[in-house]
Amino acid sequence: MKKSTLLISSLVLSTVLVFGQSTRKAAPITKLTQLNAIIDEQTNQDMIQNAKKSPDGHIRCFTTEVNQMKKMTDPSVKTPEEFENWMSQIMKANQNNPSTQKASRNIPVVVHVLHNGDAIGSGENISNAQVISQITVLNQDFSATNSDFGNTPAVFTSIATNMDIQFCLAQTDPNGQPTTGIDRVNTGVASYTTSTIEAAKPATQWDPTKYFNIWVCNLGGGILGYAQFPNSGAANTDGVVIGYNYFGNTGAVSAPYNKGRTATHEIGHCLGLYHIWGDDGTACTGSDQVSDTPNQADENYGCPNFATNISCSNGGDMAMNYMDYTDDQCMYMFTNGQKARVDAVLASAPRRASLLTSTVCNTAAITANFTASSTVINETQSVTFTDASSSPATLNSWSWTFTGGTPASSNVQTPPAITYNTAGTYTVTLTVGDNAAGNDTETKVAYITVNAAGTVTCDSTAAGWDWNTEAFGGAYWTQDAAACNLPLEGYIIGNNCYDDNGWATKVTSPVGLKELVEVRYVFVQSSGTGGAKLKIWNANGAGGKPNTVLASVAITTGQFSANLNQFISVPITPAIPMSATAGSFFIGYDHDVTPLDGDTIVMGVADATTNTTWANEVGGWLDLTAYGVLYKATAVAIICDISTGVQSHIGDLKSIVAYPNPTTGILEVMLPKNNGVVKVYNMIGEEVANSSTNSNLLKIDLSNQPNGVYFVNVTSNGEVTTKKIILSK
């Protein structure tokens, strides 16, 4: 029983870590264990505590503080001095090149509405009307057509100006598909701090060289909004953040910040403007680097009376400037000097100048596209095709041509299954039309490969799998204790007081004409330089023990140190016919000698209802049931149907696995049971892939999609599961 004590003390904790999360919903995209935190949370809270606050306790703008925090870890964030040196250079260049000062400049916008599953128009999942109202306010404020522009005091009317900027909600998304420019993302997060929203930005951002990104969310800390200055900071966090109840002038907005001026103020920062009183000096000496804005002692709140608000003997504060801190209804103008800075930024700043040539506000074109359930089959097998076309109008015609297939053509959106009876490579063509008289054709040459009947078409796959349904911890492997035996030895699982030389998991052989083509391990610890072997054993020993070695791959104990907690793929060549096994076989590993001190390799182990894990002790292989423990090792066998070439996995999966994650294009989905339909959606809810399988292993090709976050929706045995994956090519 002491074996049980040693193993349970070390392994039970691991199974808590492994399976404590296995049934949870997919982690939100903002989970900081998956994304690097850009801002330290404690520093963030300290900054909030010390920030300037309005009389009602709000932080009107948190831009200065956020940029200070980013500077602590990101050298690309400029100090005010560095930023102003850069600004002075581009302003001088812009003054010498008047052709860069364009009128009626258009900036395309995407508004990311981050919510917690609320219905549209409820809570932070604000309505379309509220988003559109903000775009309207921006267009009025940046063109001096706002109704309160006429309230400008006489002393300032000669310098109050039109910025000549218009904003448009994007009409084309990063995939070239139609969009409203409103990107709704259910993050599963109820509220954000600046640290968590900064961590969420990279996963939700659209290309900042083509889209001006605005994030709207439930922003905590009393903060109304903040921005990132041009040419300062990482590209994947560029844009502005606004609290949902301070965005636009209708819906969930909250007075006195209910006129949409928070976004106007923050976008001013994104275009190179400082706070009007200057953040770099004391009363009356701070400068916003603009010559026609008078010095102020400090920021203004509420709605100060211009006639009596003379803080620096300058004829009155320009409290109505958008870059002050007054209430929304009391700010309504920019100046010529501020426009000069904005002109320079739009002419020269990275990710600002490119916005003016972006075409994403143009209507998306009709695009023909399709996918296939499989592109490599055997004679007499069938393929189902799925229309993946798009149009800004309504698609209303489809014309398919299947060279070499039966039937050879179809005129419906979803054609019947197409059977290929003769070996060869075949082209598929789809022409689509819409009710706006548009049409497009997609031809995929040599798209379908048909092999001779009986050909095995399963291919083993490269290493690098991410076991994303379970979380492994390091607490259950420990160095061999001196009290066990000397000299100290390496360990496999737990410690190695019993001189274990190998571990394996038992797999029941499938019936029929099957063969083993690949095995996949998950190792959670690997170190040292000692010799070891990954092995497949036949279960033909006494009592069903591992015996005959069917396949062996030499490794060193530290070989997988860079791939901890990932699938390690081992192709089996030649493939092993299941008819050659004794009804079961083992997947595992052993060492050339009892592991020396520092030589360690640990396979992931988890709870099971029936034990499948065996240890190779001094006396030989032993079923761990003998010690009263029930475990399974995290190893999966990939088998092929010899007659049809259909690939599937055998192994004890608790839930659906999508891997690798991140993927570079080819995504594999493993199901606990046979049969499933897999659909992949992009961040705006558009379906980009659709496939089905009568097996439990399916490949999805996303190589034609742009980098970003996708959601894999799997329907299998009446249950629907969604996994988040990241495409990074």
Side-chain angles (χ1 to χ4, degrees), residues 120 175 206 218 240 247 257 305 352 386 398 415 428 445 540 559 563 571 578 616 622 639 647 656 679 708 715 717:
I120 296 176
N175 300 320
W206 291 7
N218 185 7
V240 302
F247 191 74
Y257 313 110
N305 187 324
R352 297 294 184 271
T386 301
W398 298 264
V428 178
V445 178
N540 57 358
Q559 182 170 336
N563 291 315
M578 292 293 94
N616 190 12
L622 182 68
I639 59 98
Q647 187 182 62
I656 291 165
K679 298 180 180 180
T715 302
N717 293 286

Side-chain angles (χ1 to χ4, degrees), residues 88-89 155 311 350 431 434 679 689:
S88 62
Q89 293 173 15
V155 68
S311 59
T431 299
D434 61 25
K679 298 180 180 180

Side-chain angles (χ1 to χ4, degrees), residues 432-456:
V432 295
D434 61 25
N435 60 5
N439 63 79
D440 189 46
T441 298
E442 173 71 4
T443 298
K444 297 186 180 182
V445 178
Y447 185 54
I448 303 298
T449 299
V450 181
N451 294 318
T455 301
V456 176

Side-chain angles (χ1 to χ4, degrees), residues 339-570:
K339 182 181 179 182
R341 287 177 69 88
V342 170
D343 286 345
V345 166
L346 288 176
S348 304
R351 304 188 301 275
R352 297 294 184 271
S354 61
L355 292 174
L356 303 186
T357 58
S358 174
T359 60
V360 298
C361 277
N362 298 338
T363 302
I366 182 172
T367 303
N369 195 17
F370 57 87
T371 60
S373 59
S374 178
T375 58
V376 181
I377 60 171
N378 288 357
E379 290 175 330
T380 75
Q381 292 183 327
S382 298
V383 178
T384 57
F385 293 89
T386 301
D387 174 39
S389 305
S390 63
S391 171
T394 302
L395 293 170
N396 59 12
S397 67
W398 298 264
S399 178
W400 299 84
T401 301
F402 306 104
T403 305
T406 303
S409 63
S410 176
N411 292 313
V412 296
Q413 183 176 16
T414 304
I418 308 301
T419 302
Y420 292 86
N421 294 309
T422 305
T425 57
Y426 299 103
T427 296
V428 178
T429 299
L430 171 63
T431 299
V432 295
D434 61 25
N435 60 5
N439 63 79
D440 189 46
T441 298
E442 173 71 4
T443 298
K444 297 186 180 182
V445 178
Y447 185 54
I448 303 298
T449 299
V450 181
N451 294 318
T455 301
V456 176
T457 58
C458 309
D459 293 324
S460 57
T461 315
W465 313 114
D466 175 21
W467 183 269
N468 57 18
T469 61
E470 300 182 309
F472 296 100
Y476 68 95
W477 54 77
T478 57
Q479 180 56 281
D480 190 8
C484 294
N485 46 44
L486 290 173
L488 295 178
E489 297 171 341
Y491 51 95
I492 299 182
I493 294 179
N495 55 45
N496 204 17
C497 289
Y498 288 86
D499 291 333
D500 291 349
N501 192 49
W503 280 60
T505 192
K506 194 171 188 177
V507 179
T508 301
S509 303
V511 297
L513 296 175
K514 310 281 187 182
E515 61 183 5
L516 180 67
V517 298
E518 179 188 356
V519 293
R520 296 169 184 177
Y521 298 82
V522 175
F523 291 113
V524 294
Q525 177 73 303
S526 175
S527 63
T529 58
K533 291 183 175 66
L534 307 180
K535 287 185 177 179
I536 310 296
W537 293 271
N538 200 337
N540 57 358
K545 296 180 180 181
N547 187 21
T548 305
V549 176
L550 300 175
S552 178
V553 177
I555 62 168
T556 58
T557 56
Q559 182 170 336
F560 303 114
S561 59
N563 291 315
L564 296 185
N565 300 359
Q566 293 185 335
F567 274 111
I568 305 300
S569 172
V570 181

Side-chain angles (χ1 to χ4, degrees), residues 9 50 56 81 89 107 116 162 210 225 289 376 424 446 449 498 521 528 536 630 650 659 668 707 710:
S9 64
N50 296 324
D56 60 7
E81 294 76 17
Q89 293 173 15
I107 295 180
N116 190 27
N162 173 5
K210 297 178 180 179
Q289 306 299 327
V376 181
T449 299
Y498 288 86
Y521 298 82
I536 310 296
L630 304 177
I650 51 176
Y659 58 88
E668 291 201 38
N707 289 343
Y710 292 82

Side-chain angles (χ1 to χ4, degrees), residues 24 26 144 164-165 289 313 423 542 545 579 617 656 697 702 728:
R24 74 186 194 280
D164 293 320
I165 296 173
Q289 306 299 327
S313 301
K545 296 180 180 181
S579 58
E617 300 182 349
I656 291 165
L697 187 64
L702 299 177
S728 179

